[in-house]
Amino acid sequence: NRFTFNGELIATYLENNPDRFSSFTYILSRATIGKDSLSSGSMLKTLATYGEYTCFAPTNEAVDNYLKKQYELHLQGEQTGITSPYLEDIADTVALDIAKNHIIENSRIRIIDVNNGSFPKSTMNHRTTTMEIKVDEAGRNYPLLNGTAKVIEQDLYKENGYVHVIDNMLNPSKLLGHKQIGKHASFSLFFEALDSTQISRILETHEID
């Protein structure tokens, strides 16, 4: 989709900062969506079009560390999908999975509007991204996503959405919905109610939208 704009697109921002995002840009370029030649295209092209996106952009170091860790787990017998520590060796399907974990479409979401809790919309992989406000040794607050990824730059406005720079790859939580609720103190009473009424057992055995 072509449109007129005066600012910078998410894809342009990532490509213009290769010292920080060349690895993530490469993954996005390998992540192809669409089943036919008329609708197919890379996720990088998607982030270069008009729309509304929230992009969690891992640094080159974050991508490198992730690949090494997943490869080590692969050697230990776990099915991670990563069979090599080198970026160029990842499969297109893995690249797509990674890309979708780091993008929320049809929504511009700022960190400042989330606070403790979960992002109001799921990623393109239909996974929830949680956020907690932590305090470092210097007494400064910082957002932590999914318990592992620190937001080192937030709410970077782009023409088609917001970019949040993170120091670790997002590994979506495998916890079920009610278990995810139980992790947050602000929902403790609700979690107890789910447990005491045994609704939590229903949620464990049924798929509920």
Side-chain angles (χ1 to χ4, degrees), residues 13 20-21 57 59 150-153 156 163-167:
Y13 168 72
R20 303 185 72 192
F21 306 115
T59 62
K150 180 180 180 180
V151 179
I152 54 181
E153 285 188 63
L156 301 179
V163 174
H164 310 300
V165 183
I166 53 179
D167 71 348

Side-chain angles (χ1 to χ4, degrees), residues 24-50:
F24 185 51
T25 301
Y26 177 79
I27 289 173
L28 293 173
S29 69
R30 290 278 304 277
T32 303
I33 55 176
K35 297 182 179 180
D36 58 73
S37 59
L38 294 178
S39 62
S40 63
S42 70
M43 293 295 293
L44 187 62
K45 290 182 179 178
T46 298
L47 295 178
T49 61
Y50 180 78

